[in-house]
Amino acid sequence: MKDTYIFAIETSCDETSASIIKNGNEEISTVVLSQIDIHKNFGGVVPEIASRNHTQAITLVFEKTLKKANMTMDKIDAIAVTYGPGLNGSLLIGIEAAKALALANNKPLIPVNHMAGHIYANKFSGEFKFPLLALVVSGGHTELIYMDKEYSFKKIGGTLDDSVGEAYDKVARVIGIPYPGGPLIDKMSKIGNSSYKLPTPKDDDSFDFSFSGIKSAVINLVHNEKQRGKEINKEDLAKSFQDTVVNILVKKTIRAIKKYNVKQLLLAGGVSANSGLRNLLDIECNKLGIELLKPEIRYCTDNASMIGAAAYYAYLRGDRADFNLEPNPGLDLEEGDNCEK
Ligand code: KG4
Ligand code: ZN
């Protein structure tokens, strides 16, 4: 079969990224320009600043991606772009740039769901074995997704309020850690003890999650200790928080694996970089004799390589967008709108 080269674009939040992916699992080149240092000063992503920076960076990122691959556009089979979920203004820059590239080079345009991208980041780690379950944990999402074939997503549970990433970032802010707090809390938890008692969130028979309660519990605990004139042990609080969150995520995921009798578990999304989550899933999946695929750390947070991997399967099944493609900030994984077919 002829090789397929996809030029993929990701601008849904604060990373401007482009990538060339061969046959859905081979990275030819990728460039990721992170804006974290800019947004850090504001304690989170500022949408207007994010889109302005995408606009300034995108042409350069495209040029660098082609140069790194030592390729020209004529070798590319299709242009893929994230069209949701994400920040409207940020998505728009990537979409308009993708349209321009597709039009100028006469290539098909493939619309890709950002969360499908996170799941397909695992294509760089190994083959998918169906049926499988994906635990998707990011800054905006916490979902359990069932897949019985390529590019088919069924949500079996999800958060009813905050995502895990959001909870991490908010807890970090309360204890004075800069954005994004997730990676630092993870690091601090390695030297802390689980000495603070926190409530286990939504410990029930469903496959849904809730993280707003534990976030409030941490905020209250910090305020109470302050009022009593006591110092918080930040490392211990980080460890207590991480253990509580990881335990419930893993507990429900393992129960879902058993119920749906899947062959494989995929970990996906920015929080999949979390060492506590990776370790406990390793242990529990090992006990069950179930294969666990985890993205390499560089594919955990937003990047265009994962979009190129997902786009390959969208391309094979015939997903195409026309030049009316628009951002869909609240796009659901189970939706397939904006496709011509
Ligand atoms: O997937 P992502 O890059 O962006 C979205 O699509 O939302 O995820 C970003 C989130 C942030 O909330 C960040 O704090 C969290 O992932 N994160 C982590 C870790 N690395 C990134 N959370 C916990 N532990 C980590 N090691
Ligand atoms: Zn993401």
Side-chain angles (χ1 to χ4, degrees):
M1 208 166 93
K2 181 191 161 293
D3 289 329
T4 302
Y5 292 89
I6 292 182
F7 188 97
I9 302 161
E10 157 63 39
T11 63
S12 67
C13 191
D14 60 344
E15 265 91 23
T16 318
S17 180
S19 187
I20 297 171
I21 300 297
K22 180 180 167 186
N23 299 334
N25 62 4
E26 195 181 320
E27 185 183 70
I28 305 298
S29 80
T30 189
V31 174
V32 183
L33 203 82
S34 173
Q35 303 174 11
I36 281 184
D37 286 341
I38 300 166
H39 298 285
K40 228 178 209 163
N41 303 317
F42 304 97
V45 178
V46 183
E48 291 78 6
I49 296 177
S51 36
R52 195 188 319 142
N53 279 283
H54 285 309
T55 312
Q56 283 167 357
I58 201 149
T59 315
L60 195 68
V61 167
F62 286 1
E63 281 169 7
K64 269 191 168 172
T65 306
L66 285 165
K67 199 169 168 201
K68 251 177 120 176
N70 200 16
M71 276 171 84
T72 50
M73 285 307 289
D74 45 291
K75 211 161 173 214
I76 301 294
D77 294 284
I79 312 291
V81 65
T82 305
Y83 73 110
L87 300 170
N88 192 64
S90 290
L91 290 164
L92 187 66
I93 308 301
I95 291 173
E96 292 308 315
K99 284 181 194 170
L101 214 54
L103 187 67
N105 296 283
N106 196 23
K107 309 282 179 196
L109 186 60
I110 310 170
V112 179
N113 182 308
H114 180 78
M115 303 319 292
H118 274 303
I119 292 174
Y120 274 81
N122 282 293
K123 282 280 175 182
F124 301 108
S125 302
E127 275 305 308
F128 289 7
K129 292 172 192 148
F130 300 104
L132 63 78
L133 198 69
L135 173 62
V136 185
V137 278
S138 76
H141 292 75
T142 301
E143 287 172 355
L144 275 168
I145 304 289
Y146 176 85
M147 294 174 69
D148 60 2
K149 57 178 187 287
E150 294 287 6
Y151 226 76
S152 157
F153 311 99
K154 188 172 177 293
K155 184 173 156 185
I156 63 159
T159 184
L160 304 178
D161 39 57
D162 291 355
S163 70
V164 196
E166 246 177 306
Y168 262 95
D169 295 339
K170 282 182 189 160
V171 163
R173 198 187 295 185
V174 171
I175 57 175
I177 295 169
Y179 173 85
L184 267 173
I185 296 227
D186 187 14
K187 213 168 163 190
M188 288 162 71
S189 75
K190 287 181 188 160
I191 47 171
N193 295 307
S194 210
S195 58
Y196 292 101
K197 186 107 196 73
L198 295 170
T200 302
K202 204 161 165 47
D203 192 6
D204 59 15
D205 290 342
S206 76
F207 292 117
D208 290 328
F209 302 97
S210 164
F211 296 105
S212 66
I214 185 162
K215 178 194 71 190
S216 307
V218 170
I219 294 171
N220 290 341
L221 193 145
V222 171
H223 287 169
N224 290 343
E225 294 290 274
K226 239 187 210 161
Q227 270 178 349
R228 281 196 219 133
K230 278 171 112 186
E231 277 282 315
I232 282 279
N233 182 320
K234 292 184 180 178
E235 286 77 17
D236 280 5
L237 187 55
K239 172 78 171 152
S240 308
F241 171 74
Q242 177 145 312
D243 278 358
T244 311
V245 166
V246 165
N247 284 339
I248 192 69
L249 281 171
V250 174
K251 185 176 174 183
K252 291 203 171 182
T253 303
I254 294 296
R255 192 153 43 75
I257 287 174
K258 289 180 185 158
K259 175 168 179 195
Y260 289 90
N261 203 14
V262 294
K263 294 201 176 100
Q264 206 176 32
L265 175 69
L266 311 186
L267 184 56
V271 185
S272 65
N274 186 271
S275 63
L277 185 57
R278 291 170 88 94
N279 290 342
L280 191 59
L281 278 177
D282 264 336
I283 294 168
E284 293 303 321
C285 286
N286 220 353
K287 272 192 214 158
L288 271 185
I290 183 140
E291 188 183 357
L292 170 66
L293 284 189
K294 297 168 288 193
E296 273 177 46
I297 296 295
R298 71 194 174 107
Y299 294 131
C300 288
T301 38
D302 296 349
N303 64 85
S305 302
M306 66 185 199
I307 302 303
Y312 177 66
Y313 294 91
Y315 178 71
L316 289 183
R317 73 170 198 176
D319 286 12
R320 302 288 182 270
D322 61 21
F323 294 112
N324 294 317
L325 182 69
E326 283 180 358
N328 188 340
L331 180 67
D332 201 89
L333 246 187
E334 290 175 345
E335 269 179 65
D337 61 320
N338 262 323
C339 300
E340 276 174 1
K341 72 179 185 87

